[in-house]
């Protein structure tokens, strides 16, 4: 019986690994980025042995994109897990982000890339992002120039931003001629209308969006989706609610980076994109109201229409407003 169960598990894991490796998104520079990554932010298990074990489980199950950041303080653990996995470096996509609170000049940008490489123990990164626009336009442009040069030097294969709106990206392009290849933002069916419009506009420009907080996460209260369009589709299609939410983002052309430290949940997230939504499914979710409790006082809607429309909104905000945004995802 034990042998049969082991064979069954190995076979199931092989199916997960196969499907997890097949879905990629082509960036403007021709690189293909895995569409279903492992987020390593904002939970108690995102450092130390728990994140090493989670990363190893994710890689063992076939996942191939690991999303980290200076702010998460787990580069060394990610590097240890990658080496222990036995998987070749070139078969794994590593994304990291420069801490916007401290990396705020051209020189600091170059130094930060070198430090990340040393901490992870690799000679290059697949994607590096500026973590947020809160440093303001001039400093962000300087850091963006450092990433352009890090890419030219072969230390980074693709560059992008996180939490930037259309006006902020336009300022980067106007000052350097270089359009980000990726923008990582909080994105889900109940993002504000201006952010939905921005995601559609970026798709037309060749800027790939990576969605975080697709499942709610630590920024939100526990939400009850019973009776919602998401739960109805999950029931009718034999999917989990989480799978529907991840598939919705994928249907919008986004990559996803759900985070978990539990192998069973990691496997579930990797299987989520096996079943895609129909256009009518997507329309039903788009038209649905936010579930009760989706927005929490601990983690309110970080991206309303103002943040989508006003460039460098954080940099010009009052101190109290900046404290509200102090934690970088």
């Amino acid at each position: 019986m034990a042998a049969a169960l082991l064979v069954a598990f190995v076979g199931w894991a092989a199916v997960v690994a196969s499907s997890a490796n097949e879905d990629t998104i082509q960036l403007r520079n021709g690189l293909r980025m895995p569409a279903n990554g492992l987020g390593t932010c904002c939970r108690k298990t995102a450092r130390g042995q728990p994140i090493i074990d989670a990363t190893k489980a994710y890689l063992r199950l076939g996942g191939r994109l690991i999303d980290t950041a200076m702010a998460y303080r787990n580069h060394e653990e990610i590097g240890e897990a990658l080496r222990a996995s036995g998987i070749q470096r070139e078969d794994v996509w590593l994304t990291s982000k420069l801490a916007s609170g401290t990396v705020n000049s051209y020189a600091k940008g170059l130094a930060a890339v070198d430090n990340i490489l040393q901490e992870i123990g690799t000679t290059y990164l697949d994607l590096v992002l500026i973590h947020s626009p809160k440093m303001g336009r001039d400093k962000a442009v300087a850091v963006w120039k450092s990433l352009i040069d890090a890419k030219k030097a072969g230390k980074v294969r693709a560059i992008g931003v996180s939490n930037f709106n259309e006006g902020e990206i336009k300022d980067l392009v106007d000052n350097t001629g270089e359009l980000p290849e990726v923008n990582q933002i909080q994105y889900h069916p109940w993002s504000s209308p201006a952010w939905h419009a921005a995601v559609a506009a970026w798709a037309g420009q060749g800027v790939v969006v990576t969605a975080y907080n697709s499942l709610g996460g630590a920024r939100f209260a526990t939400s009850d989706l019973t009776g919602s369009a998401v739960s109805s589709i999950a029931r009718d299609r034999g999917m989990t609610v989480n799978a529907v939410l991840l598939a919705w983002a994928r249907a919008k052309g986004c990559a996803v980076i759900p985070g978990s430290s539990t192998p069973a949940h990691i496997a579930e997230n990797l299987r989520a994109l096996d079943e895609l939504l129909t256009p009518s499914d997507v329309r039903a979710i788009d038209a649905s109201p936010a579930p009760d409790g989706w927005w929490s006082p601990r983690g309110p809607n970080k991206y309303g229409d103002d943040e989508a429309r006003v460039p460098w909104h954080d940099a010009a905000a009052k101190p109290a407003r900046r404290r509200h945004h102090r934690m970088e995802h």
Side-chain angles (χ1 to χ4, degrees):
M1 175 67 74
L5 288 174
L6 177 59
V7 171
F9 175 80
V10 171
W12 165 76
V15 171
V16 173
S18 175
S19 60
N21 279 313
E22 290 171 359
D23 192 11
T24 60
I25 299 176
Q26 184 167 320
L27 303 187
R28 203 171 55 254
N29 64 10
L31 294 176
R32 300 204 69 91
M33 182 178 76
N36 194 342
L38 177 68
T40 66
C41 172
C42 311
R43 57 185 185 273
K44 293 180 180 179
T45 54
R47 296 187 65 194
Q49 194 60 45
I51 196 62
I52 293 173
D53 293 341
T55 303
K56 287 164 64 177
Y58 169 80
L59 294 171
R60 183 172 64 251
L61 289 165
R64 291 296 181 267
L65 185 151
I66 301 167
D67 181 271
T68 182
M70 291 176 66
Y72 308 164
R73 295 183 294 170
N74 57 18
H75 285 146
E76 292 181 0
E77 291 99 318
I78 297 301
E80 180 177 339
L82 178 56
R83 289 186 292 275
S85 73
I87 296 171
Q88 296 297 310
R89 168 65 186 91
E90 59 268 23
D91 293 330
V92 178
W93 183 283
L94 293 179
T95 295
S96 189
K97 311 174 199 72
L98 305 186
S100 299
T102 56
V103 182
N104 51 21
S105 70
Y106 177 86
K108 288 180 179 179
L110 291 179
V113 170
D114 287 339
N115 287 339
I116 295 170
L117 294 175
Q118 183 176 10
E119 289 173 353
I120 295 178
T122 183
T123 58
Y124 70 94
L125 293 163
D126 296 281
L127 174 64
V128 176
L129 312 174
I130 301 177
H131 208 147
S132 89
K134 68 182 182 181
M135 67 183 75
R137 182 186 61 192
D138 293 345
K139 292 179 180 179
V141 168
V143 176
W144 185 237
K145 289 178 179 178
S146 76
L147 288 186
I148 293 170
D149 286 349
K151 181 180 176 182
K152 290 177 180 177
K155 297 178 180 180
V156 178
R157 297 208 300 161
I159 57 176
V161 295
S162 181
N163 304 311
F164 277 56
N165 65 27
E166 288 185 278
E168 291 156 353
I169 288 177
K170 181 178 184 300
D171 280 341
L172 295 185
V173 176
D174 287 348
N175 282 276
T176 66
E178 186 83 12
L179 183 69
E181 289 155 307
V182 174
N183 188 14
Q184 184 178 122
I185 61 170
Q186 176 186 291
Y187 190 56
H188 48 72
W190 305 290
S191 295
S192 76
W195 282 105
H196 286 298
V199 170
W202 287 322
Q205 297 167 17
V207 178
V208 171
V209 168
T210 295
Y212 68 79
N213 278 147
S214 299
L215 308 179
R219 296 287 177 96
F220 305 104
T222 300
S223 301
D224 183 5
L225 281 86
T226 303
S228 67
V230 171
S231 63
S232 297
I233 292 168
R235 182 189 63 245
D236 295 344
R237 301 289 295 276
M239 301 169 68
T240 66
V241 165
N242 284 1
V244 171
L245 288 168
L246 293 172
W248 175 89
R250 191 69 190 91
K252 297 291 185 178
C254 302
V256 293
I257 47 171
S260 176
S261 298
T262 306
H265 290 162
I266 292 170
E268 177 186 326
N269 289 338
L270 285 171
R271 295 196 308 272
L273 301 186
D274 290 351
E275 186 78 20
L276 300 182
L277 302 181
T278 66
S280 61
D281 291 335
V282 175
R283 288 193 296 270
I285 295 171
D286 287 345
S288 68
D292 290 340
W294 182 265
W295 303 115
S296 161
R298 294 180 295 104
N301 185 350
K302 185 178 179 185
Y303 299 110
D305 282 342
D306 281 351
E307 287 88 349
R309 292 171 176 154
V310 181
W312 315 108
H313 182 279
D314 249 7
K318 296 178 182 179
R321 184 72 179 182
R322 288 200 295 272
R323 285 197 296 274
H324 174 69
H325 290 277
R326 67 188 180 277
M327 183 178 180
E328 289 185 332
H329 190 297

